Amino acid sequence: MDEKYWDEKYRTEDRLWSGNPNGVLLVEAAGLAPGQALDLGCGEGADALWLAARGWLVTAIDISRVALARAAAAGGDAKVAWTHADVTTLPPPAAAFDLVSALYCPLPRSAPAALRSLIAAVAPGGTLLVVGHDLDEAHQHHHENPEFDPADFFRPDEVADLLGEGWTTEVHETRPRVSPAPPGSGHVNDVVLRARRTA
């Protein structure tokens, strides 16, 4: 799932996602005071634009230049820094963001430093929001890429296990999706982790 994979995936359709901000972001970030936000795996930009409209200064990162071009076109003059980067090789700055959001963003186990850098990017007092698909045995999961194995990527509960001292976990639960799943994905429930850095 490298840059080539995602560029080709975005090129298959004029718009890959719904164009609406993610429902779980609306629920979990609505009560946060605006500041500096990092939107990891921003795709076509709906989440970043929702945050920007509410006063956040957003750095939106994606590995796909195709997705970023669409996001920038949709965003107009919104206060979003659309940034092409692969966080497995170019980590975000440490302690720089009041919100770090990684919604359905596949972080490979082969790059554990990327996960650590994501956690480290949260400023003291800031919020980490990680959301993934619930892939338990009761869940009918399939993926259009037969080479994709969910076991190759970190899960939100594994992120929670890494937080340790200096963090307060405010939400860590499995619950029904707020937004409809993409057609054909079979995703029914989300695993949601929201934690605040206290030191």
Side-chain angles (χ1 to χ4, degrees):
M1 301 181 76
D2 57 7
E3 181 174 350
K4 180 181 178 182
Y5 168 85
W6 284 108
D7 279 345
E8 290 177 352
K9 188 171 180 65
Y10 279 104
R11 289 190 185 106
T12 62
E13 299 185 41
D14 292 335
R15 189 174 70 186
L16 190 59
W17 311 116
S18 70
N20 300 315
N22 229 289
V24 71
L25 178 68
L26 275 60
V27 170
E28 299 300 334
L32 299 177
Q36 296 281 346
L38 175 65
D39 181 11
L40 185 63
C42 68
E44 292 160 324
D47 288 357
L49 294 175
W50 182 84
L51 289 166
R54 279 146 188 80
W56 291 86
L57 300 176
V58 186
T59 299
I61 293 177
D62 205 277
I63 198 171
S64 170
R65 294 182 189 275
V66 177
L68 287 167
R70 291 181 189 175
D77 60 356
K79 289 182 169 55
V80 179
W82 304 108
T83 306
H84 176 253
D86 178 351
V87 294
T88 65
T89 58
L90 183 64
F97 299 97
D98 304 294
L99 171 65
V100 172
S101 175
L103 276 58
Y104 315 108
C105 182
L107 290 171
R109 293 183 187 281
S110 59
L115 177 54
R116 290 193 295 270
S117 71
L118 173 67
I119 294 170
V122 182
T127 296
L128 174 67
L129 178 60
V130 180
V131 180
H133 304 300
D134 175 24
L135 301 177
D136 66 18
E137 292 181 2
H139 178 68
Q140 295 295 319
H141 174 74
H142 61 278
H143 198 280
E144 59 193 30
N145 178 2
E147 297 179 358
F148 174 84
D149 184 352
D152 292 339
F153 301 91
F154 288 108
R155 302 185 313 271
D157 58 306
E158 294 172 300
V159 179
D161 290 342
L162 289 175
L163 296 181
E165 294 184 6
W167 288 87
T168 298
T169 298
E170 298 175 326
V171 176
H172 185 200
E173 63 187 20
T174 299
R175 64 192 189 210
R177 286 182 60 103
V178 179
S179 302
S185 72
H187 297 128
V188 177
N189 295 323
D190 285 333
V191 181
V192 179
L193 170 66
R194 190 187 79 223
R196 182 170 50 86
R197 186 173 180 180
T198 56

